[in-house]
Amino acid sequence: MIVALIIACEVGFWVLLAAGLAVRYLLKWRRTSVVLLLCEPVLELVLFVVTAVDLRNGAEPSWEHGLAALYIGFTVAYGHYTIRWLDGHAAHRLAGAPRPPKPPRYGTARARHEGRLWLRTVLMAAVACALLQAAVWYVGDGDTSSLRSFQWIALRTAGIHGIIALTYTIWPKKRPESALPARDPEHVPDVLVRRPGKDEEQVR
């Protein structure tokens, strides 16, 4: 049941997001779009309540409860980021707004961008671990190994993402140079400049 609810929440997230953006930019109903987008957190709240009730009713902690915690953590950390990104593209496509800037690809700007994404992953792991720890305390003396295993999954995910983000700082990606860089004309070799022919010299 928990897995089915997670799938329903994911589908509901995209349905509400599409409806909110369509109402905002096609029908120009800004207040209605705000209401639809504000319903997004309700999905995570429903999932949290159902998971807690399932444990309270005596269900054995399982991977489904751990997956629910990871999903809630992910939506808390990346939900607003995803909505803002899609809102910028919808405004460009449907309302004639400027094209949203692309993420930086090179140098320190790319490293800072990757670092900010990693902080979101850290937030995801923190939320998931907090929910899982609360579930562990709630269950008490029962078997909580599956819940603790998902805590390690969240921590490993943040650690791996942190290593990947750090590589952009240690080895920043450089902008590719052009094959033929522009040079001062006076430094161009003579072989690239056509010398005047004999007829041209006679005319001169």
Side-chain angles (χ1 to χ4, degrees), residues 12-202:
F13 174 86
W14 291 106
V15 169
L16 285 174
L17 180 56
L21 295 178
V23 166
R24 171 174 293 187
Y25 294 111
L26 295 179
L27 301 180
K28 309 299 182 183
W29 295 350
R30 186 173 183 83
R31 291 184 179 179
T32 304
S33 70
V34 171
V35 172
L36 288 173
L37 295 177
L38 287 177
C39 290
E40 300 279 8
V42 177
L43 299 175
E44 283 66 53
L45 180 61
V46 169
L47 178 59
F48 173 77
V49 171
V50 170
T51 303
V53 170
D54 191 45
L55 291 173
R56 188 186 64 181
N57 290 337
E60 288 294 330
S62 65
W63 65 271
E64 297 177 351
H65 302 99
L67 183 61
L70 287 181
Y71 178 80
I72 294 174
F74 180 84
T75 53
V76 168
Y78 283 93
H80 182 264
Y81 175 82
T82 303
I83 292 173
R84 185 175 58 185
W85 182 80
L86 288 174
D87 181 66
H89 283 276
H92 169 66
R93 295 284 185 179
L94 304 176
R99 182 186 295 274
K102 294 183 178 180
R105 299 178 59 187
Y106 308 106
T108 56
R110 174 65 182 271
R112 287 194 296 268
H113 174 72
E114 295 295 333
R116 288 192 292 267
L117 289 180
W118 173 68
L119 290 178
R120 292 186 178 277
T121 302
V122 171
L123 176 60
M124 179 275 293
V127 171
C129 286
L131 292 176
L132 290 166
Q133 187 61 43
V136 168
W137 290 335
Y138 185 78
V139 173
D141 297 333
D143 183 11
T144 59
S145 58
S146 61
L147 300 179
R148 295 194 181 279
S149 67
F150 270 88
Q151 285 182 318
W152 284 111
I153 290 174
L155 293 175
R156 283 198 299 268
T157 301
I160 293 172
H161 192 179
I163 294 173
I164 294 173
L166 186 61
T167 60
Y168 287 95
T169 300
I170 300 175
W171 301 287
K173 190 175 181 180
K174 297 181 179 180
R175 187 182 301 274
E177 298 179 358
S178 59
L180 294 175
R183 291 180 290 182
D184 192 336
E186 67 181 16
H187 296 107
V188 176
D190 292 340
V191 294
L192 299 180
V193 179
R194 186 177 64 87
R195 297 181 180 276
K198 293 182 178 180
D199 294 339
E200 294 175 348
E201 291 178 351
Q202 291 176 359

